[in-house]
Amino acid sequence: MPEHARLDRAFFSCPAERLARKLLGALLVRVLDDGTRLSGIIVETEAYCGVRDQASHAFAGRRTPRNEAMYAVPGTAYVYFTYGMHFCMNVVCGKLDEPPAVLIRALEPVDGVPSMHRLRGKTSGGRPRPVRDLCNGPGKLAQALLIDRSLNGADLVTSPSIFLEEGPPGSKRRIRRTARIGLNNAGPWTHKPLRWLVDGDLHVSRARPPRPVREV
DNA sequence: ATGACGATTTACT
DNA sequence: GTAAATCGTCATA
């Protein structure tokens, strides 16, 4: 498991639309208390564009105990709990006291795949879970990397437990943009193309399963 | 104090 | 495709 250069403060100090694109291909790394290294290449992100974005938790300058981390220094993790059972992780960007952020929606697992399998649990039938189902959604990757409340507000630039690294070179693939997933009443922001994903990657959320090849 | 809802996932028809 | 699971958060009172 090769370790690459860690992403620094300057990398995160940009608008959400730019960070969402730049994070594709980067490596999200989680180091557990026992030293286990879990990581994956980011293949899907969504930009939340600060106080003007009706879909953002910080829309119109909303600032509550839950979303306080969005206003912290760029490179801060914003982890929130939703639907009574899932965590989602964002990377805060922009400038201090401004709340743009990027939701990490899917990873291609790299390090610690056996641990991810254990953390995600078995399927209802007890059948083995395909690797592509470990991190292909914001709630799933949080579960697979043991990302929870305790990481909210963590500084991704300095934390030993969670951070980002430059991805392996050569992952130069085609990037696609779509509307964001799961939005309800975000008005004109609902359909803006603020979701970035690696086109055709098997590890993105809502990926079409490959059509079975007819046997001869 | 109360109620509606959510940047989701899963199982089931 | 549809629906249930499940609870913290926030707006309203």
Side-chain angles (χ1 to χ4, degrees):
Chain A
M1 43 179 164
E3 302 196 10
H4 298 82
R6 187 159 167 165
L7 301 186
D8 62 12
R9 192 77 63 203
F11 188 95
F12 303 115
S13 303
C14 65
E17 304 91 314
R18 272 214 286 139
L19 184 64
R21 173 62 185 83
K22 291 198 307 181
L23 280 178
L24 292 181
L27 199 67
L28 175 63
V29 184
R30 169 85 166 103
V31 178
L32 303 183
D33 288 344
D34 69 359
T36 303
R37 177 179 158 112
L38 311 174
S39 76
I41 298 169
I42 298 174
V43 295
E44 179 181 342
T45 58
E46 282 178 0
Y48 286 83
C49 307
V51 299
R52 67 200 173 103
D53 183 348
Q54 292 183 54
S56 171
H57 291 168
F59 172 61
R62 285 194 302 252
R63 188 165 181 164
T64 67
R66 174 177 69 153
N67 73 355
E68 180 61 31
M70 299 184 83
Y71 292 84
V73 64
T76 297
Y78 168 45
V79 180
Y80 69 91
F81 183 64
T82 192
Y83 289 102
M85 60 188 90
H86 302 295
F87 292 97
C88 293
M89 178 186 164
N90 294 256
V91 179
V92 174
C93 54
K95 304 174 182 174
L96 180 63
D97 273 319
E98 291 181 1
V102 173
L103 173 69
I104 300 181
R105 287 194 55 92
L107 308 174
E108 172 190 341
V110 174
D111 295 311
V113 172
S115 294
M116 293 186 193
H117 268 111
R118 176 172 47 79
L119 287 162
R120 286 276 289 127
K122 298 168 186 169
T123 188
S124 65
R127 309 200 322 277
R129 195 183 287 277
V131 169
R132 73 170 66 118
D133 286 340
L134 290 175
C135 298
N136 60 338
K140 295 177 183 180
L141 74 88
Q143 186 178 28
L145 300 204
L146 199 61
I147 292 169
D148 62 21
R149 227 178 293 283
S150 69
L151 266 32
N152 184 40
D155 185 354
L156 300 169
V157 176
T158 60
S159 170
S161 302
I162 188 160
F163 48 90
L164 290 129
E165 292 179 358
E166 288 179 8
S171 51
K172 190 171 196 250
R173 287 173 285 188
R174 187 172 189 81
I175 304 305
R176 191 154 61 94
R177 294 174 66 176
T178 76
R180 292 173 291 184
I181 305 295
L183 304 191
N184 269 13
N185 297 326
W189 289 83
T190 305
H191 298 106
K192 291 181 186 287
L194 293 173
R195 173 185 181 230
W196 277 255
L197 54 90
V198 177
D199 194 22
D201 194 292
L202 226 39
H203 303 88
V204 301
S205 69
R206 305 199 169 190
R208 288 301 191 84
R211 177 182 300 175
V213 177
R214 181 180 298 276
E215 309 228 359
V216 285

